[in-house]
Amino acid sequence: MKIKLTAVAVFIGIFFASAQEKPVYLNVDKPIEERVEDALKRMTLEEKIAVIHAQSKFSSAGVPRLGIPENWATDGPHGIRAEVFWDEWNIAGWTNDSCIAFPALTCLAATWNTDMAALYGKSIGEEARYRNKNILLGPGVNIYRTPLNGRNFEYMGEDPCLASKMVVPYIKGVQENGVAACVKHFALNNQETDRYKVNVNIDDRALNEIYLPAFKAAVKEGDVWAVMGAYNKYMGEQASHNKVLLNDILKKEWQFDGVVISDWDGTHDTKQAIHNGLDMEFGTWRKEMETAPKPYNLYYLANPYYELIKKGEVGTEELDDKVRRVLRLVFRTNMAKDRPFGSFGSPEHSQAARKIAEEGIVLLKNKKSTLPISLYKKKKRNILVVGENAVKRLTVGGGSSSLKAKYEISPFDGIKKRAGSLANVTYAAGYKSPAVKEQDVRDAKEPEKETIDLKALRNEAVRAAQKADMVVFVGGLNKNSGQDCEDSDRANITLPYEQDLLIKELLKANKNTVVVIISGNAVAMPWADDAPAIVEAWYNGSEAGNALAGVLFGDVNPSGKLPFTFFKQLKDFSAHAMGEYPGNGTNVSYRESVFVGYRWANRMRIKPLFGFGHGLSYTTFKYSAARVDKKTISANDSVTVSVKVKNTGYRAGQEVVQLYINDVVSAIPRPRQELKGFQKIYLKVGEEKTLSFVINKDDLSYYNEKHGKWIVERGEFEALFGSSSEDIREKVSFKLK
Ligand code: GLC
């Protein structure tokens, strides 16, 4: 009897224990793959179809029956977009969604500081987490092929090595918050003109050497959990469901195990979406959806897919793969163990935004130490600030990266605050842009046409300039369509609103004029020779004015370097010299191949206005004693090259030491310089440091199209140490046996 009782007791115990035992998919201590399989087998066909397409503008369904939450995506790469109405682009008017606006990613790239990328990712990830978004639709890493691309300000420049090294810490920082980064736009989305349909023709070498590396780094080193398919086509197929890009390269070769999300309305065909690697369909829009009771059921991966399965025309294998990826996303984010809780609009995020901006602002020219501005105790200085960009809100507009910022310190605010009682700071517009209807605002009215008398504005500013001790001009581009804005490209690289004429007049009226350009792209500077000081200040978000003032008044020693080349004229850019831009509406051919930016400048011996990697400091740096540890290496060896850098000026500062490789004799035309590494170092006055870089065969290889793989050739290589691509200070050579 006793034994029976015990047996019964044990059975009851096990029963309750197992009844207590959570289902595997709900158990955060179980390995993700086990949770995925357990959840998958519990889901119905209808539930599987539901989770792979949107249910609203920015969300996709969860599995309510199983307690699996919805997925909520948010733009953008520079901050967390305001909440919109369920089914609209329009802002919903919440009062708790005003974010910190971080600098544009071009500014982040211009810091050349991976610590800044980590800080950026952590901060923006915390904001997304706090707003309960588990997919951040950023960062963007499309290469600057043409300076006219309206979205370059959202990307990280012209060089694959710089973009690759900067994107990884950003992604890790975001994902440490249990928020998926979604690297975009994969791939070859390098212009906005005809972006929804243009088919990109490109040789395999340029694809692999220039346009894929940042995405590959995002996947292989950044372990990114989501990738956004681009709008354009490649090899005739939409990038959002593209066999070669998504199945062959991303998922097979790179072993990507996350989700591929379509760009909004980037999906065009059910069967291609099923078979060519698309996992989540967002933003689809078709006429019949306007009147459909359940418009989202008309998505390509919704009822049409369901019907094909029901009719037995397709199996459920692809569906299960998509759902596994979606579940993996959920278990990495919303249902992850020990997920942080985020923070929003915090002083820490303001400081992060300011630090990144301070490190990204580029001092392009500074003759006779015009900068930093000195403020004398005894004599008040009259500082005139001229230009619409000194006062204009620049966090709004530009397309999907537009933000409802908690605040935005303008350049004028920053300069006035920093000067305080030590200077008399006044303002003259000098030029004005036409008012435009704010994007994403329901029932927004077209502003009434105003006549802008640029001549009168210019004359007024010039008169004021004649009386000032110094002038700070703040101009450039803005986020209006046709400038730095999504869905349109610029028509040329000339500054709009007659700014060139204004700048020339200001320089004549007062030779102590500093020119500050705010832009996300290169602009022509016909007045550059006459300007004693020029600063590239990017779109720097909430702290823009404080960061700029810090640099102008010398609290900050500028250390930014250009992430792309400023050629003097449009036809000096390879895409416009021999490539093809914007194509014929159906096709565009990247005939310039790998010769983009400084690679083209070197090859054609074109002297740019300001080169890739260029940026001055308020101190000076001397390079010396470049060394290589081995004069000859075999293909599987690595070689260590080093150089000494000394601060030879009068104040502490940071220098970005850039390492370029030159394959002296190569079977195919190679750029004479290819960036393969960089280090940003802080040096006190007189301090000297030795920097070492390890070079391996990957750094020396090129992509050989015939063999479809990377090849390294025997022969002599040079390691070039530069303060910019145009300013090589030291070099060493070694031989590959
Ligand atoms: C836009 C953009 C993409 C953005 C998405 C959602 O068209 O191409 O970058 O994240 O749609 O707004």
Side-chain angles (χ1 to χ4, degrees):
M1 185 55 180
K2 194 166 173 324
I3 292 169
K4 258 174 75 188
L5 266 180
T6 315
V8 166
V10 165
F11 172 74
I12 290 169
I14 290 169
F15 172 76
F16 276 111
S18 62
Q20 296 310 318
E21 176 79 13
K22 281 190 196 114
V24 168
Y25 77 97
L26 288 176
N27 185 337
V28 293
D29 292 317
K30 291 286 184 189
I32 282 192
E33 292 316 307
E34 284 181 37
R35 299 176 70 189
V36 166
E37 293 311 317
D38 182 49
L40 183 72
K41 72 176 189 300
R42 297 167 186 265
M43 289 168 72
T44 65
L45 175 59
E46 290 73 7
E47 289 165 339
K48 290 180 182 178
I49 290 286
V51 303
I52 62 169
H53 63 80
Q55 64 173 7
S56 76
K57 187 57 80 180
F58 283 102
S59 74
S60 58
V63 188
R65 177 179 65 83
L66 296 177
I68 294 175
E70 300 169 341
N71 284 298
W72 277 87
T74 180
D75 286 316
H78 307 152
I80 307 309
R81 187 172 185 170
E83 198 68 27
V84 296
F85 289 109
W86 182 258
D87 245 343
E88 298 176 26
W89 293 109
N90 293 319
I91 294 170
W94 286 18
T95 54
N96 62 350
D97 58 352
S98 297
C99 69
I100 295 298
F102 296 98
L105 289 193
T106 308
C107 176
L108 174 60
T111 69
W112 291 62
N113 186 341
T114 51
D115 295 341
M116 290 299 108
L119 174 65
Y120 199 126
K122 173 180 181 298
S123 306
I124 194 172
E126 288 168 346
E127 298 244 331
R129 173 67 190 96
Y130 185 83
R131 291 265 290 105
N132 283 315
K133 309 297 183 183
N134 70 311
I135 306 168
L136 174 70
L137 300 173
V141 288
N142 295 101
I143 291 292
Y144 279 44
R145 172 178 183 256
T146 165
L148 305 185
N149 178 19
R151 293 189 83 174
N152 276 347
F153 72 99
E154 291 185 54
Y155 305 147
M156 297 194 187
E158 73 185 26
D159 180 84
C161 172
L162 176 61
S164 299
K165 292 192 186 298
M166 294 302 284
V167 77
V168 169
Y170 178 110
I171 288 167
K172 288 184 176 301
V174 170
Q175 298 189 161
E176 273 154 19
N177 288 285
V179 173
C182 180
V183 69
K184 67 189 187 181
H185 306 82
F186 189 66
L188 299 167
N189 181 188
N190 305 99
Q191 65 188 56
E192 291 299 286
T193 303
D194 304 319
R195 69 168 173 164
Y196 298 103
K197 59 183 174 59
V198 74
N199 179 50
V200 175
N201 296 301
I202 181 172
D203 59 292
D204 284 350
R205 184 179 169 212
L207 177 69
N208 284 280
E209 289 191 20
I210 305 294
Y211 294 94
L212 289 183
F215 289 102
K216 183 172 183 179
V219 172
K220 306 290 280 183
E221 296 159 55
D223 187 27
V224 74
W225 294 338
V227 171
M228 185 186 293
Y231 281 129
N232 53 280
K233 290 180 179 178
Y234 170 60
M235 298 181 84
E237 274 180 355
Q238 304 287 157
S240 281
H241 35 73
N242 186 295
K243 181 186 170 310
V244 172
L245 289 175
L246 302 179
N247 287 352
D248 300 349
I249 296 175
L250 182 65
K251 292 182 175 180
K252 200 154 121 234
E253 188 186 327
W254 297 352
Q255 294 294 298
F256 173 66
D257 70 357
V259 293
V260 172
I261 295 178
S262 71
D263 200 338
W264 267 238
D265 204 17
T267 311
H268 298 271
D269 179 279
T270 292
K271 288 205 169 131
Q272 286 198 29
I274 294 168
H275 298 293
N276 291 354
L278 178 63
D279 301 308
M280 297 179 91
E281 176 187 357
F282 276 87
T284 296
W285 184 250
R286 302 213 298 274
K287 196 88 191 79
E288 57 269 36
M289 291 170 73
E290 268 165 8
T291 51
K294 291 181 177 273
Y296 289 90
N297 287 348
L298 299 181
Y299 267 49
Y300 293 97
L301 287 180
N303 283 0
Y305 190 9
Y306 183 77
E307 292 308 320
L308 287 176
I309 292 173
K310 280 291 178 202
K311 284 187 288 190
E313 280 190 42
V314 292
T316 55
E317 192 190 333
E318 294 84 1
L319 176 60
D320 285 349
D321 179 58
K322 298 178 201 299
V323 175
R324 281 194 180 89
R325 292 169 184 272
V326 174
L327 289 169
R328 207 167 285 140
L329 172 71
V330 172
F331 295 139
R332 285 169 165 165
T333 58
N334 289 334
M335 294 177 80
K337 182 176 181 175
D338 303 334
R339 195 183 182 208
F341 301 103
S343 54
F344 193 69
S346 63
E348 291 75 14
H349 293 168
S350 292
Q351 281 141 30
R354 180 167 179 167
K355 183 94 182 82
I356 293 158
E358 288 172 348
E359 288 231 8
I361 288 172
V362 182
L363 178 58
L364 294 174
K365 180 179 179 185
N366 189 25
K367 287 281 171 263
K368 302 190 296 298
S369 298
T370 306
L371 290 174
I373 301 170
S374 44
L375 293 169
Y376 309 115
K377 295 274 177 286
K378 46 191 177 304
K379 177 179 171 297
K380 255 186 185 245
R381 303 193 73 189
N382 289 310
I383 300 175
L384 173 71
V385 177
V386 177
E388 185 182 66
N389 275 0
V391 298
K392 183 180 176 64
R393 220 176 26 155
L394 291 169
T395 51
V396 174
S400 57
S401 62
S402 179
L403 296 172
K404 179 165 89 174
K406 184 176 178 182
Y407 67 90
E408 181 179 351
I409 306 283
S410 73
F412 180 70
D413 297 340
I415 290 167
K416 194 153 176 57
K417 194 169 75 174
R418 176 61 186 78
S421 59
L422 294 175
N424 179 24
V425 180
T426 53
Y427 176 72
Y431 76 90
K432 257 171 78 53
S433 60
V436 292
K437 184 173 78 169
E438 188 171 338
Q439 68 171 62
D440 305 336
V441 174
R442 233 187 214 171
D443 315 324
K445 301 271 178 298
E446 277 301 335
E448 67 281 346
K449 270 264 164 287
E450 54 175 326
T451 47
I452 297 172
D453 184 343
L454 287 175
K455 191 167 183 309
L457 289 170
R458 179 165 56 245
N459 291 340
E460 181 196 351
V462 169
R463 275 195 303 277
Q466 282 154 351
K467 296 198 286 295
D469 293 321
M470 77 173 304
V471 177
V472 179
F473 172 81
V474 184
L477 304 178
N478 61 36
K479 300 288 187 70
N480 294 354
S481 179
Q483 294 202 39
D484 283 323
C485 182
E486 180 175 340
D487 212 12
S488 66
D489 285 347
R490 277 191 295 165
N492 55 51
I493 60 171
T494 312
L495 283 175
Y497 320 122
E498 299 179 10
Q499 289 178 69
D500 288 337
L501 183 53
L502 171 59
I503 294 168
K504 280 182 187 141
E505 299 277 314
L506 288 172
L507 288 166
K508 267 195 281 198
N510 189 320
K511 61 184 182 338
N512 200 9
T513 292
V514 174
V515 177
V516 177
I517 296 297
I518 292 179
S519 69
N521 261 309
V523 296
M525 299 183 179
W527 32 265
D529 290 346
D530 306 325
I534 306 171
V535 175
E536 171 61 52
W538 314 120
Y539 298 108
N540 282 339
S542 292
E543 287 289 328
N546 288 333
L548 177 61
V551 169
L552 294 179
F553 287 94
D555 308 328
V556 173
N557 189 354
S559 60
K561 299 274 186 180
L562 289 179
F564 57 84
T565 307
F566 271 70
F567 285 103
K568 291 189 178 89
Q569 52 193 342
L570 190 57
K571 67 178 174 39
D572 286 349
F573 290 84
S574 52
H576 300 265
M578 65 160 291
E580 198 180 69
Y581 169 85
N584 61 9
T586 307
N587 282 290
V588 62
S589 297
Y590 291 11
R591 282 204 290 263
E592 73 282 2
S593 183
V594 298
F595 297 98
V596 175
Y598 70 92
R599 290 170 163 84
W600 174 255
N602 290 339
R603 180 175 172 74
M604 306 306 284
R605 290 189 173 32
I606 299 171
K607 185 96 185 82
L609 183 60
F610 298 110
F612 171 78
H614 170 75
L616 302 176
S617 169
Y618 291 145
T619 186
T620 50
F621 299 100
K622 183 168 79 66
Y623 290 45
S624 66
R627 293 278 181 281
V628 61
D629 67 345
K630 286 174 261 186
K631 286 308 271 180
T632 51
I633 56 170
S634 67
N636 294 322
D637 283 348
S638 63
V639 62
T640 300
V641 293
S642 61
V643 69
K644 287 184 188 300
V645 184
K646 182 174 185 174
N647 180 341
T648 48
Y650 304 104
R651 60 176 289 177
Q654 297 188 85
E655 168 68 328
V656 177
V657 178
Q658 300 151 45
L659 169 69
Y660 297 90
I661 290 294
N662 175 27
D663 183 353
V664 178
V665 179
S666 61
I668 56 157
R670 287 188 74 174
R672 286 184 31 247
Q673 283 171 215
E674 295 175 63
L675 183 73
K676 295 297 176 184
F678 55 89
Q679 289 181 40
K680 188 166 196 174
I681 46 159
Y682 175 85
L683 293 171
K684 295 196 283 293
V685 173
E687 188 178 8
E688 181 169 59
K689 278 181 187 165
T690 300
L691 298 183
S692 299
F693 297 82
V694 177
I695 297 169
N696 59 41
K697 74 173 185 327
D698 295 345
D699 300 314
L700 306 176
S701 304
Y702 69 89
Y703 188 82
N704 181 298
E705 289 196 75
K706 237 193 337 289
H707 300 90
K709 63 184 173 115
W710 292 84
I711 301 263
V712 61
E713 286 181 320
R714 282 193 305 280
E716 187 185 357
F717 285 86
E718 287 177 330
L720 311 164
F721 295 102
S723 184
S724 93
S725 62
E726 294 282 316
D727 180 4
I728 300 301
R729 302 284 186 87
E730 286 279 319
K731 68 178 179 181
V732 286
S733 59
F734 55 92
K735 268 198 179 18
L736 185 68
K737 277 202 302 278

Coordinates of all heavy atoms in Angstrom, one line a residue, residues 58 75 81 89 137 151 184-185 195 228 231 263-264 400 486, ligand 1:
F58 N 3.1 50.5 -39.8 CA 4.4 50.1 -39.3 C 4.4 48.8 -38.4 O 5.4 48.6 -37.6 CB 5.0 51.3 -38.5 CG 5.6 52.3 -39.4 CD1 4.9 53.5 -39.6 CD2 6.8 52.2 -40.0 CE1 5.4 54.5 -40.4 CE2 7.4 53.1 -40.8 CZ 6.6 54.3 -41.0
D75 N 10.8 54.2 -38.1 CA 12.0 54.9 -38.7 C 12.5 55.7 -37.5 O 11.9 55.8 -36.5 CB 11.4 55.9 -39.7 CG 11.1 55.2 -41.0 OD1 11.8 54.4 -41.5 OD2 10.0 55.5 -41.6
R81 N 10.9 58.1 -35.1 CA 9.9 58.9 -35.8 C 8.6 59.0 -34.9 O 8.3 58.2 -34.2 CB 9.6 58.2 -37.1 CG 8.6 58.9 -38.0 CD 8.6 58.2 -39.4 NE 7.8 58.9 -40.4 CZ 7.7 58.6 -41.7 NH1 8.4 57.5 -42.1 NH2 7.0 59.3 -42.5
W89 N 0.7 57.7 -43.2 CA 2.0 58.3 -42.9 C 1.9 59.5 -42.0 O 2.8 60.0 -41.5 CB 2.6 58.8 -44.2 CG 3.0 57.7 -45.2 CD1 2.4 57.5 -46.4 CD2 4.1 56.8 -45.1 NE1 3.0 56.4 -47.0 CE2 4.0 56.0 -46.2 CE3 5.0 56.6 -44.1 CZ2 5.0 55.0 -46.5 CZ3 6.0 55.6 -44.3 CH2 5.9 54.8 -45.5
L137 N 14.3 51.0 -38.3 CA 14.5 50.9 -39.7 C 15.7 51.8 -40.1 O 15.6 52.9 -40.6 CB 13.3 51.4 -40.5 CG 12.0 50.5 -40.2 CD1 10.8 51.1 -40.8 CD2 12.2 49.1 -40.7
R151 N 19.2 61.0 -50.7 CA 19.3 60.4 -49.4 C 20.7 60.2 -48.9 O 20.9 59.5 -47.9 CB 18.5 59.0 -49.4 CG 17.1 59.2 -49.6 CD 16.4 57.9 -49.4 NE 16.1 57.6 -48.0 CZ 15.4 56.6 -47.6 NH1 14.9 55.7 -48.5 NH2 15.1 56.4 -46.3
K184 N 19.9 49.0 -44.3 CA 19.1 49.3 -45.5 C 20.0 50.2 -46.4 O 21.0 50.7 -46.0 CB 17.8 50.0 -45.2 CG 17.9 51.4 -44.6 CD 16.5 51.9 -44.1 CE 16.6 53.3 -43.7 NZ 15.3 53.8 -43.2
H185 N 19.6 50.2 -47.8 CA 18.6 49.5 -48.5 C 19.3 48.5 -49.4 O 20.1 48.9 -50.2 CB 17.8 50.4 -49.3 CG 17.2 51.6 -48.6 ND1 17.9 52.7 -48.3 CD2 16.0 51.7 -48.0 CE1 17.2 53.5 -47.6 NE2 16.0 53.0 -47.4
R195 N 13.6 55.5 -58.3 CA 14.1 54.5 -57.3 C 13.2 53.2 -57.3 O 13.7 52.2 -56.9 CB 14.2 55.1 -55.9 CG 12.8 55.5 -55.3 CD 13.0 55.8 -53.8 NE 11.8 56.4 -53.2 CZ 11.6 56.4 -51.9 NH1 12.6 56.0 -51.1 NH2 10.5 56.9 -51.4
M228 N 16.6 45.4 -44.9 CA 15.5 45.9 -45.7 C 15.9 45.8 -47.2 O 16.9 46.3 -47.6 CB 15.2 47.4 -45.4 CG 14.0 47.9 -46.1 SD 13.7 49.6 -45.9 CE 13.2 49.7 -44.2
Y231 N 14.2 49.3 -53.1 CA 13.1 49.5 -54.1 C 13.6 49.1 -55.5 O 12.8 48.5 -56.3 CB 12.7 50.9 -54.2 CG 11.8 51.4 -53.1 CD1 12.1 52.6 -52.4 CD2 10.6 50.8 -52.8 CE1 11.3 53.0 -51.4 CE2 9.8 51.3 -51.9 CZ 10.1 52.4 -51.2 OH 9.2 52.9 -50.2
D263 N 11.1 47.1 -48.5 CA 10.9 48.5 -48.4 C 9.4 48.8 -48.5 O 8.7 47.9 -49.1 CB 11.7 49.4 -49.4 CG 11.9 50.8 -48.9 OD1 11.1 51.2 -48.0 OD2 12.9 51.5 -49.3
W264 N 8.9 49.9 -48.1 CA 7.5 50.1 -48.1 C 7.0 50.3 -49.5 O 7.4 51.2 -50.2 CB 7.2 51.4 -47.2 CG 6.9 51.0 -45.8 CD1 5.7 51.3 -45.1 CD2 7.7 50.3 -44.9 NE1 5.8 50.9 -43.8 CE2 7.0 50.2 -43.6 CE3 8.9 49.7 -44.9 CZ2 7.5 49.6 -42.5 CZ3 9.4 49.0 -43.8 CH2 8.7 49.0 -42.6
S400 N 11.5 59.8 -44.9 CA 11.2 58.9 -43.8 C 12.1 59.2 -42.5 O 11.8 58.7 -41.5 CB 11.3 57.5 -44.2 OG 12.6 57.3 -44.7
E486 N 14.4 62.4 -49.5 CA 14.0 61.1 -50.1 C 13.1 61.3 -51.3 O 12.4 62.3 -51.3 CB 13.3 60.3 -49.0 CG 12.9 59.0 -49.4 CD 12.3 58.2 -48.3 OE1 12.5 58.5 -47.1 OE2 11.5 57.2 -48.6
Ligands
GLC1 C1 10.6 54.6 -47.1 C2 12.1 54.4 -47.1 C3 12.6 53.5 -46.0 C4 11.7 53.7 -44.8 C5 10.4 53.1 -45.2 C6 9.4 53.4 -44.0 O1 10.1 54.7 -48.4 O2 12.7 54.0 -48.4 O3 14.0 53.8 -45.8 O4 12.3 53.1 -43.7 O5 9.9 53.6 -46.4 O6 9.1 54.7 -43.9

